Amino acid sequence: MKKISIILIAFFITSVSLAQDAKSLLKEVSAKAKSYDNITIDFKYNLNNSKENVNQETRGDVTLQGDKYVLNMLGTTRIFDGKNIYTIVPEDEEVTISTYNAKDDKDITPSKMLTFYEKGYNYKMDIEQNVKGRKIQFVKLIPIDSKAEIKDILLGIDVQTKHIYKLIQTDAKGTKYTLTVNSFKTNQPVSKTLFTFDEAKYKKDGYYINKL
């Protein structure tokens, strides 16, 4: 019994230590992201569900400035100006405008991509990988809410730069969403109108404006 008690105490201490290490690392990542005026990320995105025989891969890019963002992916542009979300689909010549509601926003949106883990998750250190000479430390995040659609998230962090390199999200149905960062640029020259939607321009070009 004494040996078992010692083992359990050692395990508990190790678990707490790993949680503290994970918390410290995530705090550094969050602080680093918030220190930049803006961030531009070029990424690869993969959706995989082996049971459903689904495997889709695409590329995209996003520019972040505070809560605002411009996301280009799958031939669609999404602009968030801090108040409204504008989804522009050139193929259909259509723009959908919706008002942002923080209470309804449970997904990992571009504006939350670098800080979403600050609330609602328990976390612990996971595997460490060497990717082309870069030391990538993974942290496993598990939602505190047992009814959450997300099963877990693996966040791969470049130990040297404290930038997020990879995000692997698995949902309750076994679908895995993987975002891999190809390039991470900071404090780039950004147009003052980048996050501004010019409705008159799109109307002039014949786009249908759908306001929700």
Side-chain angles (χ1 to χ4, degrees), residues 56-109:
Q56 300 173 350
E57 190 165 291
T58 187
R59 295 181 75 122
D61 62 81
V62 61
T63 298
L64 308 158
Q65 189 172 64
D67 290 333
K68 299 176 183 179
Y69 67 80
V70 175
L71 170 68
N72 296 297
M73 186 175 168
L74 296 171
T76 298
T77 296
R78 177 174 286 190
I79 300 172
F80 177 49
D81 61 8
K83 183 180 178 181
N84 295 315
I85 298 171
Y86 307 88
T87 304
I88 305 162
V89 186
E91 186 178 352
D92 299 332
E93 294 190 337
E94 183 178 15
V95 177
T96 300
I97 305 173
S98 56
T99 303
Y100 175 73
N101 187 334
K103 292 181 180 179
D104 296 335
D105 185 10
K106 296 179 181 179
D107 295 327
I108 301 175
T109 55

Side-chain angles (χ1 to χ4, degrees), residues 8 12 18 25 28 31 51 60 79 83 85 93 112 124-125 143 145 153 174 180 186 188 194 197 209 211:
L8 287 172
F12 177 75
L18 288 172
L25 180 58
E28 287 186 74
K51 291 181 181 178
I79 300 172
K83 183 180 178 181
I85 298 171
E93 294 190 337
K112 297 192 298 183
K124 61 181 180 180
M125 295 296 248
D145 181 2
I153 296 171
T180 305
T186 61
Q188 300 294 297
L194 181 64
F197 175 71
I209 309 295
K211 296 184 179 181

Side-chain angles (χ1 to χ4, degrees), residues 107-125:
D107 295 327
I108 301 175
T109 55
S111 7
K112 297 192 298 183
M113 187 179 127
L114 303 174
T115 55
F116 73 91
Y117 45 80
E118 292 179 336
K119 294 179 181 178
Y121 294 90
N122 289 317
Y123 32 75
K124 61 181 180 180
M125 295 296 248

